Every structure is written in structure tokens, then in C-alpha cells.
Amino acid sequence: QVQLVESGGGLVQAGGSLRLSCAASGRTFSSYAMGWFRQAPGKEREFVTANKWTGGSTIYTDSVKGRFTISRDNAKNTVYLQMNSLKPEDTAVYYCAASESRGLPNLPWQYDYWGQGTQVTVSS
């Protein structure tokens, strides 16, 4: 069982930056693929990025490439999402998720554990 708790959301102006954190419980954190998703009002949950510690694989959705960076600190059981050059269309609730998949999943149903979400609002 893994419990995930996100933090770091808030209100920022367009062009600004935020760093989200996701603290995970569990002793095998390093074996999980960790992902970030987001969901805007009235829209489906959208994949943002994911990282697999084993092999160092990382993927991003096209709309955040070059602006967002996922990283993880296995010693602290924490995964981060650094978001730069934020745009109003990045406004959403951001969710951290953990997957027991051997691959690098990018679909919500492929993830086994979810955090409660943290709101990110980007003003124009």
C-alpha cells in the first residue's frame, strides 16, 4: 500500500514557476513508476509526465515539454514537478500517482495509487 500527499500548489501569474511535491509512504518507493496528471474543470484527467527510477526513463506530454521537469528523491520518498513558464491553460488540479507497472504508463487506469490533488491556478 502506498499513500501519496501532494503539496506546493497555488496561484501564480503567467510566466511564473511553481514546484509541486509528492511525499509517498511505503518502503519500495524506488520500484514504482511515478506520474503527474492534471484535471481542469469539465475535462478528463490528463497525463503530464512520468518517471521510472529503474532505467531512468521519463516521458512528458507535448504541451509541457521544455517547461516542466519531473524529478525524484528516493531517499526522501518524494517526487517533484518543477513547472516553469506557466500558462493559464496549465490551470488544473494536479495529481501525483504511483504505478506498479514494469513499464512507464501514461494512462490513469494504469496507476494504482493516487494523491488527493493540489490546485494550480495561473492567471493571465
Side-chain angles (χ1 to χ4, degrees), residues 8 17 20-21 38 50 61 79 95-97:
S17 298
L20 307 182
S21 299
R38 63 188 180 185
T61 192
V79 63
Y95 296 91
C96 171

Side-chain angles (χ1 to χ4, degrees), residues 30-31 80 91 94 115 123:
S30 62
S31 68
Y80 304 97
T91 295
Y94 283 71
S123 63

Side-chain angles (χ1 to χ4, degrees), residues 7-83:
S7 61
L11 173 64
V12 64
Q13 289 188 334
S17 298
L18 281 174
R19 188 177 80 155
L20 307 182
S21 299
C22 174
S25 64
R27 294 177 294 177
T28 58
F29 174 75
S30 62
S31 68
Y32 290 99
M34 298 300 298
W36 287 95
F37 289 76
R38 63 188 180 185
Q39 189 165 19
K43 295 189 176 181
E44 294 185 350
R45 193 162 297 191
E46 174 191 27
F47 172 78
V48 177
T49 180
N51 169 264
K52 185 77 173 180
W53 181 255
T54 304
S57 300
T58 301
I59 54 174
Y60 296 92
T61 192
D62 285 346
S63 62
V64 308
K65 285 180 180 177
R67 300 189 299 122
F68 290 12
T69 303
I70 187 172
S71 61
R72 61 197 291 171
D73 185 336
N74 287 334
K76 296 182 177 180
N77 279 8
T78 301
V79 63
Y80 304 97
L81 181 64
Q82 178 66 44
M83 305 185 294

